[in-house]
Amino acid sequence: MPNAFLFMDECYNEVTKLSSLTGVVVPLSDYQLLRAAFYGILEWAVRPEPNTLGQPPALHGSDFLRGESDDRKLSTLDSLVDLVVENNLRVWRVGYYVTPTLTAAFQADPKLLGLCWFSMQSMLAPLLSETQLIPIMDRVPDSQVRAFSGSIRSLDVMRAWGIDASVENSANFVGEVFYSASEYAVFPQLVDVVSYLRHICDLDDDGKKLTGFKKLLLERGRRLQPAITEEHLIALKYDGVVQGPADRARRGSGAGPITAAASFQPSDPPLPPDEQVDS
């Protein structure tokens, strides 16, 4: 069975109130080639002059290449998007709208990251049937470690005692999520950029006004579409009330994200005009 890395990035957007988890799958067999290609994109920083070797900048989507020109930023983003799309890297993304009601209900996980991760595991079930995945994230607070590593450990314990795990094929996760310092690691930076560009798409989809530069970022985010294997942005229902914008609420499909948990379930558009919405 082949092996691949699953590089993940969690993100919360204050404007859209979306908390999301993005994953990029990188086959181990392609890792060295793709890593070299990543550093090739940054040749202008690594080899600024002949016989000179510099250090590459750490890339973060929300603070991308601070101090560099817009042209430099955009050309680098173009190359990173090409790296993803042209090498057939696959992207999974799931997000939930966060409201005061849900924050109060999930006090131990107010950004719903545990729910995002559970949904991500379910979405990945078909891939896990044929590939072992090594999940890797940037360093996160201890509370988030519990949401990610604790979930995998719980499934492993269930299997060890002969109890059917609730996530199909989850035995093919290798390790209980590993954590990396992104400033020294290539693909945690790449998935951070992918996550940020898709959040720009969320802003546009929600009808938010974009600056001129963010409109240029939007073009790069849309260009990632061929790499998107699954992407679900969901407004849950809580006691019959949609938690988030009604026009964006929708149900995941196939092996996608959670469809029911206690009194929580995704809504199906269109919604009745008199149905209450909590945003």
Side-chain angles (χ1 to χ4, degrees):
M1 180 176 290
N3 298 292
F5 292 112
L6 170 65
F7 292 98
M8 296 184 291
D9 178 75
E10 49 80 23
C11 185
Y12 175 70
N13 190 299
E14 286 284 356
V15 178
T16 61
K17 306 301 181 186
L18 265 170
S19 182
S20 67
L21 183 65
T22 301
V24 175
V25 172
V26 178
L28 263 66
S29 59
D30 297 338
Y31 185 87
Q32 292 181 347
L33 179 65
L34 293 170
R35 179 179 57 194
F38 180 93
Y39 286 128
I41 292 169
L42 299 175
E43 181 180 4
W44 56 269
V46 177
R47 297 294 299 274
E49 298 177 4
N51 303 317
T52 301
L53 187 65
Q55 293 300 317
L59 304 183
H60 299 285
S62 60
D63 190 24
F64 192 76
L65 293 179
R66 179 186 291 270
E68 297 293 338
S69 68
D70 287 354
D71 286 345
R72 175 79 75 193
K73 293 175 181 178
L74 293 172
S75 64
T76 303
L77 285 171
D78 282 334
S79 296
L80 292 172
V81 170
D82 289 343
L83 180 67
V84 172
V85 175
E86 294 177 3
N87 288 282
N88 298 313
L89 298 184
R90 300 167 69 183
V91 178
W92 279 259
R93 182 168 181 252
V94 61
Y96 290 91
Y97 287 93
V98 177
T99 66
T101 298
L102 294 179
T103 298
F106 286 95
Q107 294 184 29
D109 186 18
K111 293 299 188 289
L112 308 182
L113 291 176
L115 188 58
C116 287
W117 177 221
F118 182 84
S119 296
M120 177 74 74
Q121 293 175 63
S122 300
M123 291 160 61
L124 289 166
L127 179 63
L128 284 164
S129 70
E130 59 188 22
T131 305
Q132 290 184 313
L133 292 179
I134 304 167
I136 299 177
M137 290 194 69
D138 194 3
R139 292 173 296 189
V140 296
D142 288 347
S143 60
Q144 295 181 19
V145 172
R146 288 194 296 273
F148 290 97
S149 296
S151 171
I152 297 293
R153 183 183 65 177
S154 295
L155 294 171
D156 289 342
V157 170
M158 291 171 63
R159 278 187 292 270
W161 287 95
I163 302 171
D164 288 338
S166 56
V167 179
E168 188 178 3
N169 302 321
S170 58
N172 285 331
F173 280 113
V174 180
E176 295 81 7
V177 184
F178 298 97
Y179 301 91
S180 172
S182 65
E183 59 266 34
Y184 303 110
V186 167
F187 289 101
Q189 294 180 43
L190 182 65
V191 70
D192 183 296
V193 171
V194 170
S195 174
Y196 180 72
L197 289 176
R198 295 307 290 182
H199 268 285
I200 299 297
C201 296
D202 299 339
L203 290 170
D204 184 61
D205 290 341
D206 278 2
K208 302 297 191 292
K209 186 176 181 179
L210 301 180
T211 65
F213 186 72
K214 284 193 174 177
K215 289 179 181 178
L216 296 175
L217 297 181
L218 176 65
E219 295 176 9
R220 278 76 185 172
R222 296 297 188 201
R223 284 184 51 223
L224 285 166
Q225 193 61 46
I228 304 297
T229 302
E230 283 198 63
E231 184 175 57
H232 303 271
L233 306 178
I234 299 171
L236 292 171
K237 277 186 178 180
Y238 181 68
D239 288 341
V241 179
V242 177
Q243 303 298 308
D247 60 343
R248 290 297 304 277
R250 66 178 186 266
R251 185 184 302 280
S253 60
I258 190 169
T259 55
S263 57
F264 299 85
Q265 64 184 46
S267 56
D268 276 324
L271 300 171
D274 60 346
E275 184 154 356
Q276 183 180 359
V277 175
D278 180 1
S279 58

